[in-house]
Amino acid sequence: MNTPSILHKTRNEYQPKLPRSLKNGPQVRIRENADAGAAYNPKDIGLLFPNTRGLPPVTFVPGDMPGYAPLNIGVILSGGQAPGGHNVIAGIYDGLKACHPDSKLFGFLGGPSGLTDNHYRELDAAFIAPFRNTGGFDMIGSGRTKLEKTEQYEAALTHCKALDIRALVVIGGDDSNTNAAVLAEFFKERKAGITVVGVPKTIDGDLKNDLIEISFGFDTATKVYSELIGNIERDANSAKKYWHIIKLMGRSASHIALECALRTQPNHTIISEEVAAREQTLHEIVEDLASVVAKRAANGEHFGVVIIPEGLIEFIPEMKALISELNDLMAKHEAEINGIPDMGAKREYIAGKLAPRTAELYRSLPRQIAEQLIMERDPHGNVQVSLIETDKLLVYMVEDVLNDMKARGTYKGKFKTHTHFFGYEGRCSFPSNFDADYTYTLGYTASLLCMNECTGYMSSVQNLCDAAENWIPGGVPMTRMMHLERRHGADKPVIKKALVDIDGQPFKTFAAKRGTWAIETHYIYPGPIQYYGPEALSEMKTKTLELEHQ
Ligand code: FBP
């Protein structure tokens, strides 16, 4: 462990808030909620998950604690880092020990591969202490291994049995929780007696639905990015000579971009879901941005701030069609493509196999972008959008349009740019008080779901806009969130991602104001996350959560 900073030591002392129903330890009873079943593709999902489908959501309400027996739990951190992961583990540990002091917690190291390769360590109070309320996943590490082969499930079963592990908690995003649901089904079918519980993690904020209000990490990450964007806005407004094009993480959905836009009021923000809904072409997106630059220039303002969501490329209809064709093609001809060492030859080979219209588009892209689009997919079959330089692509294209406008005499001005990519900067920050409390409660609740053998459930905490003591802990069956999606050229059951709802209040609020923010300068400088001091600062929630639950 590195030398702790003063803030690190101070945060270790912070006692996360728990809902009233969990405050006195696990004096709770489980209550089933009526509404059951899968919300999407119920037939397909029901067939794929015959043992874990159709379960009812549950909540924990104050009551007499049943006499729990000792239980060994295994925990896995999976996928990209998100602030609060350590507190989920601390919450599981405290909940588990409160239920029975002889219970044990084992951490599988380096993500799901720790489970299949049997790399683990026991997590005790002394080991966990310096990680309480800190960011990062370095307590046990994370990984993106997909659990999909029977050998992996068999190995997981063998390793859990060897440690007498009777419950497994998977802390992850949509793909990782899909792994958890599949594992729960496998264990149930085998009558293994091992409960599997998921925890909703991802800074992207796209693992949410009617019963999961938000994934953890979104609150902190967006506050970090908003601080940085605010600082850049102030620099832009001071120097008045640069356009800053900021790409923000969010592999698919634009929740991060939208939240940061609401917090900082930049001049232009692209929301991928709107692009898809309006079927905007790449050219139209570029024209829109160029027109904002030109209008500001006409007012003598040769500076501005633009937010672009990382996942944009996959939402532009013609690019989406290209990527989907590329995905299938790369899955089908993997060996041949990997066997071509020269990038130019690889591009040509691929272009030759595409349909004529998509091939034309592919050939028209700048070389770097064309190469970035054919980079290796992640283990879940996703394009690694964080490696595609959409920000630079837009800058080249906007420059071209502005040059044309200049030639026609419709634009006079300078377009000096800086591109930025904010993603990793926000994933390991000390969690905000909201995320520290939320994750600790999610972990504590997960331990209760394990104790009550609620397999195939995701830990949930509802009523998040209210004070923590009024939060409602419970569990939501994961099959309820699943649908079929095309991955690696085949239809696979996965937890459905929640995209930005362009009829929802957060988007509508943004859309009502963006015209003014574009031409005039209405920047907001949010400053850094506050952990102490006035509640208005230290307990502040995201605008997205507030507007969605208004
Ligand atoms: P998760 O969905 O696993 O939480 O990861 C989210 C994310 O941070 C995305 O925003 C980003 O595109 C991706 O991870 C980057 O992946 P990696 O950490 O492998 O570079």
Side-chain angles (χ1 to χ4, degrees), residues 258-534:
L258 180 56
E259 170 67 20
C260 293
L262 288 166
R263 274 198 182 280
T264 61
Q265 306 189 171
N267 304 101
H268 191 68
T269 302
I270 301 174
I271 300 296
S272 307
E273 291 81 348
E274 184 185 25
V275 167
R278 289 172 55 191
E279 298 187 2
Q280 276 189 299
T281 62
L282 185 53
H283 188 68
E284 285 165 349
I285 294 169
V286 169
E287 292 265 328
D288 271 2
L289 176 50
S291 122
V292 172
V293 174
K295 282 184 191 148
R296 286 179 67 79
N299 292 339
E301 314 242 76
H302 304 285
F303 67 94
V305 173
V306 179
I307 292 181
I308 304 173
E310 179 187 50
L312 173 64
I313 199 110
E314 287 193 280
F315 285 77
I316 304 170
E318 76 257 34
M319 296 299 287
K320 187 178 174 187
L322 168 64
I323 290 172
S324 139
E325 225 182 300
L326 283 174
N327 284 347
D328 286 356
L329 197 151
M330 286 171 69
K332 201 164 151 204
H333 299 280
E334 197 181 353
E336 297 95 301
I337 294 170
N338 289 344
I340 307 174
D342 177 65
M343 277 315 277
K346 201 178 268 197
R347 282 199 319 271
E348 253 329 292
Y349 174 86
I350 287 173
K353 294 230 169 296
L354 291 168
R357 275 189 70 183
T358 32
E360 192 187 329
L361 170 65
Y362 185 65
R363 287 199 174 99
S364 75
L365 294 171
R367 185 180 52 78
Q368 297 96 313
I369 305 292
E371 287 176 5
Q372 287 159 9
L373 281 172
I374 56 170
M375 276 178 307
E376 205 186 328
R377 273 40 186 163
D378 79 2
H380 301 273
N382 301 306
V383 180
Q384 300 193 56
V385 283
S386 60
L387 305 178
I388 300 177
E389 294 175 313
T390 341
D391 43 350
K392 300 223 165 78
L393 174 69
L394 287 186
V395 168
Y396 302 140
M397 296 182 74
V398 169
E399 272 168 357
D400 274 357
V401 172
L402 291 175
N403 285 339
D404 279 357
M405 289 170 76
K406 238 181 206 167
R408 280 186 275 118
T410 51
Y411 163 68
K412 269 198 217 121
K414 294 181 218 101
F415 184 55
K416 286 209 274 178
T417 58
H418 285 287
T419 53
H420 311 260
F421 171 36
F422 296 151
Y424 301 99
E425 292 82 348
R427 299 202 310 183
C428 286
S429 161
F430 286 97
S432 60
N433 285 343
F434 172 83
D435 266 332
D437 300 341
Y438 179 39
T439 48
Y440 185 76
T441 305
L442 281 171
Y444 206 101
T445 306
S447 74
L448 292 176
L449 289 168
C450 292
M451 282 288 177
N452 286 280
E453 297 178 6
C454 293
T455 198
Y457 278 78
M458 186 180 285
S459 177
S460 77
V461 181
Q462 291 172 37
N463 202 26
L464 291 173
C465 280
D466 211 329
E469 63 168 15
N470 297 326
W471 290 353
I472 303 165
V476 181
M478 287 191 272
T479 52
R480 193 179 186 279
M481 310 173 194
M482 295 193 130
H483 75 157
L484 292 183
E485 222 171 272
R486 198 132 183 96
R487 297 285 176 95
H488 287 302
D491 284 339
K492 295 266 168 74
V494 288
I495 290 179
K496 191 172 164 47
K497 266 191 207 311
L499 301 178
V500 168
D501 175 6
I502 58 169
D503 293 320
Q505 210 46 50
F507 181 82
K508 279 187 176 163
T509 307
F510 154 78
K513 301 195 176 144
R514 63 178 158 185
T516 319
W517 302 346
I519 311 306
E520 298 163 21
T521 300
H522 286 281
Y523 300 150
I524 294 181
Y525 314 122
I529 294 176
Q530 301 295 307
Y531 299 96
Y532 305 97

Side-chain angles (χ1 to χ4, degrees), residues 78-82 137 142-144 172-176 201-206 215-216 225 248-253 256 310-311 378-380 382-387 421-424 427 497:
S78 183
Q81 283 67 249
F137 279 6
S142 183
R144 288 197 186 274
D174 51 339
D175 285 330
S176 313
K201 169 236 70 165
T202 178
I203 59 160
D204 293 2
D206 56 5
S215 54
F216 78 78
Y225 303 142
L248 290 179
M249 250 189 194
R251 178 155 27 107
S252 196
I256 293 181
E310 179 187 50
D378 79 2
H380 301 273
N382 301 306
V383 180
Q384 300 193 56
V385 283
S386 60
L387 305 178
F421 171 36
F422 296 151
Y424 301 99
R427 299 202 310 183
K497 266 191 207 311

